[in-house]
Amino acid sequence: MTYHFQIILYNSSRFLDKLLTSFDHLELPKSTKLVLHFMEQSENKAEEKVTAQKVKAFEKTNTNKIKVTHDCEPNYGFGKGHNQIHKKYASLYDKEFFILNPDCFLFYNFFAELERYKEILKGRNWGILEPLQFPAEHPKEYKAESLETRWAAGACMLINCEAFEKVEKFDENIFMYGEDVDISFRMKQKGYKIFTLPKVKFIHVTQSFDTKKKHSFEFIHSQAANIYMRYKFGNEEDVKDFIKELKKHPWFDDEIIKLYEDMKKNLPDEKRIYIEDFLLPDKDYTSFRWK
Amino acid sequence: MEIMVQQKFKKGKWNIIVRSLGNEFDLLQDAIYSILAQTYEDKSILLTIHSDNEKKIKATREFLKRFEDLIEITILELRDMKAKRGVPFNIALDASDGEFISVLDHDDVYYPHMGEVLIRALHKQKANFVYGNSVVTNQILVTADWGEQYLYKTMKNKVFGQKFIKLRYVMENYIPINVILYSREFIGETRFDTNLDRVEDWEFNFSLMEKDDFKPYYLDMNVSEYRISNDGSDSYLHNEESEKLWNDSRAYVRKKHKDTVLSIKVDDISKLALEYFGFQKENALLRQELNSYTNSVSFKVDKRLENYKLINKLASFGMKIILIPYRLLRKIKHKF
């Protein structure tokens, strides 16, 4: 089995050494091969040069014989960026492919555990398998006995190619944050299931631990996507209620509404799907184990 | 004549002590990966294996081999099973070579910025004992539909963390060891008490607190997870025997430090007096705890009239309090 990883880089050279070390450190089952597809979106020549050098050097020296590609593209954002990589390389993929954030580090037994779960979940019609984020586990709920979850987080996910094609890939109206929730719900609408794999682990230096990252960007984009998804999967009342609450937030910014309006404008009516249980009784789409 | 000056501790280097019993590799793996995840780069692990079982020791060494290329790990074996919990820590302290040092239990994890933010705070505040908050995480052992067992996190909402107040620390061990980062030079020759199998960290910190140059700093930031599991992997079983051990250990620490004299700020006494006697009257246990110190610890405080009533209130619980004007404190310190 050959697994293809799609990795978008955006001023990520500081994470790259760790990420590549992680791939070299993996204990791969005999028949498992890996190909990493990097897409540099920083639009910064110096950054492009550094990341290209790093990944090329890695290809020559890594002990797991992992192959790489490195392309430079405009800053498409997350979903469109992944759609672009997919468009370019999907003909090489088997039945599934990974998307992975660059600020991650896979546990050595990642693939041994993954293969075990894939065997268990055979025939379960899964759309996405979601490895477990570590050390700050995502607070969203997954069912302890069946491992089913409402949506999978985009930092690391294994995507079923057939399901990906059926839902027409990531929604390119979302620049960043929320596209993982969006694709999960659309896959579930098509009858696919989403599972969390508790023993397939990866380190993710999440926003809250990255002392060098600005958090306002995340807030603005994620909240715009939150409104947009309510429009897409819910109704006007859900949108109004959410905006009303959001305006009370100390970080509220008019930019959020502007971004939402732009996304809404680009969404044809036929792409709106009413999902009855998109919002839970507390008006959130996520069921949290803790907040 | 050429004089060689050897620097004892490597500048910028952070040693992390991890204590293992030669089993529970799933948990140990998490502890190690949480160290690998650190955004602070110059670090190493001092991993102690406390076991006399050769198979376990060998298995642990084998398990650790896969991390050799990722981080410097010094393996320290301790085969004496009569040795108490402090002994492996002392062995690791003796082997340490970094400017900073911390302790991570094999069943807990650090958050990725732990080293970065605490080391920065230590420098900025010119402190030698810095600590953040630990998030309490409950894990339950569950069985998946196909029979697989694993730990499922159910709750993560309580946080340990309060400003350092000597008086509070004398009464209760409220700082879990997995949130503390020490200056190694400050620890010097201080070691964990080898007679203790509980609260050895409390006693250790107590000893540090007695040093004249002790400078603590509390950073209100979550830096680690304190994991509580129902699968029997917890270090402490809660039963009658264990309870006795806890109580005996606490009594041992009090006795050992009975002659301790601490300088305490009046403000701190006020805060605690209000907390323990004013607003939390229901907290009988803590009250009892405080009472047990009445004949063992003396406090000298600076005199400020506005707090007089509260000091009297504390004194009414039997605590020995000597009122000394702040300006005289230094001059007479040697007498205590």
Side-chain angles (χ1 to χ4, degrees), chain A residues 52 76 105 108 151 154 203 228 231 233 237 241 250 257 282:
Chain A
Y76 292 126
F105 194 107
Y108 74 94
W151 60 272
I203 293 171
Y228 173 67
Y231 171 74
F233 303 130
E237 277 306 301
D241 291 348
I257 306 297
D282 66 353

Side-chain angles (χ1 to χ4, degrees), chain B residues 196-336:
Chain B
L196 286 167
D197 235 348
R198 294 288 186 274
V199 298
E200 69 283 351
D201 55 335
W202 186 43
E203 196 285 327
F204 179 69
N205 292 334
F206 210 115
S207 300
L208 296 177
M209 193 171 72
E210 288 169 354
K211 293 188 177 195
D212 285 342
D213 54 346
F214 177 65
K215 185 153 187 234
Y217 181 73
Y218 165 57
L219 184 72
D220 186 9
M221 197 178 267
N222 298 342
V223 296
S224 70
E225 260 180 36
Y226 185 90
R227 296 170 155 194
I228 297 168
S229 310
N230 73 342
D231 67 337
S233 65
D234 263 351
S235 318
Y236 305 128
L237 288 171
H238 300 282
N239 54 35
E240 211 173 298
E241 196 185 337
S242 162
E243 203 57 39
K244 186 179 178 314
L245 191 54
W246 279 100
N247 290 335
D248 290 350
S249 301
R250 284 195 196 103
Y252 172 91
V253 176
R254 279 179 211 130
K255 196 174 170 190
K256 183 174 174 182
H257 293 274
K258 72 181 173 59
D259 295 326
T260 297
V261 176
L262 297 170
S263 299
I264 313 268
K265 289 179 194 162
V266 169
D267 283 353
D268 291 347
I269 293 187
S270 311
K271 276 180 211 157
L272 288 174
L274 282 169
E275 188 177 320
Y276 291 139
F277 310 120
F279 303 124
Q280 293 187 9
K281 281 180 185 160
E282 76 286 355
N283 202 336
L285 266 180
L286 281 171
R287 198 163 158 150
Q288 200 182 336
E289 188 86 349
L290 182 62
N291 283 338
S292 67
Y293 279 100
T294 52
N295 295 314
S296 59
V297 183
S298 306
F299 299 97
K300 47 187 185 187
V301 296
D302 57 315
K303 186 179 177 182
R304 283 166 56 172
L305 284 174
E306 66 269 30
N307 288 305
Y308 213 78
K309 272 187 186 172
L310 286 160
I311 295 164
N312 280 341
K313 194 168 185 178
L314 263 179
S316 73
F317 280 88
M319 189 172 280
K320 259 192 245 171
I321 295 178
I322 308 163
L323 297 175
I324 302 163
Y326 187 73
R327 62 196 155 79
L328 296 178
L329 202 61
R330 264 177 189 217
K331 290 183 188 169
I332 60 170
K333 204 167 193 178
H334 67 280
K335 290 183 183 170
F336 289 88

Side-chain angles (χ1 to χ4, degrees), chain A residues 103-120:
Chain A
D103 52 355
C104 293
F105 194 107
L106 309 185
F107 275 38
Y108 74 94
N109 54 358
F110 186 94
F111 282 96
E113 290 291 347
L114 175 70
E115 294 295 349
R116 198 172 60 76
Y117 281 115
K118 276 174 67 184
E119 200 54 38
I120 291 164

Side-chain angles (χ1 to χ4, degrees), chain B residues 22-33:
Chain B
N23 55 6
E24 294 175 343
F25 293 154
D26 277 358
L27 296 172
L28 180 59
Q29 161 186 288
D30 283 359
I32 292 174
Y33 273 108

Side-chain angles (χ1 to χ4, degrees), chain A residues 15 18 21-22 25 27 105-109 113 116-117 120-121 124 132 134-138 140-147 195 198-199 201 203-206 208-212 289-291, chain B residues 26 29-31 33-41 43 63 66-67 69-70 109-113 116-117 120 137 139 142-146 148-157 222 225 227:
Chain A
F15 298 117
K18 269 196 177 178
T21 302
S22 143
H25 156 76
E27 292 178 9
F105 194 107
L106 309 185
F107 275 38
Y108 74 94
N109 54 358
E113 290 291 347
R116 198 172 60 76
Y117 281 115
I120 291 164
L121 299 172
R124 300 275 190 103
L132 199 75
F134 175 90
E137 196 171 315
H138 201 292
K140 71 186 175 61
E141 189 180 38
Y142 62 95
K143 287 180 186 157
E145 291 79 20
S146 69
L147 307 189
F195 293 98
K199 288 188 179 172
K201 295 186 188 177
I203 293 171
H204 184 209
V205 183
T206 47
S208 53
F209 301 124
D210 187 349
T211 53
K212 292 174 184 70
R289 280 174 289 162
W290 59 84
K291 282 200 181 188
Chain B
D26 277 358
Q29 161 186 288
D30 283 359
Y33 273 108
S34 82
I35 294 169
L36 286 171
Q38 291 299 307
T39 51
Y40 189 86
E41 295 301 334
K43 56 192 179 283
F63 174 76
R66 56 179 51 90
F67 300 103
D69 294 338
L70 301 176
V109 294
Y110 283 156
Y111 283 154
H113 60 190
E116 185 186 336
V117 296
R120 195 188 303 143
T137 308
Q139 306 183 121
V142 295
T143 306
D145 288 343
W146 47 89
E148 171 189 356
Q149 288 206 314
Y150 69 99
L151 286 168
Y152 180 80
K153 287 191 181 61
T154 54
M155 195 190 78
K156 201 161 91 165
N157 60 1
N222 298 342
E225 260 180 36
R227 296 170 155 194

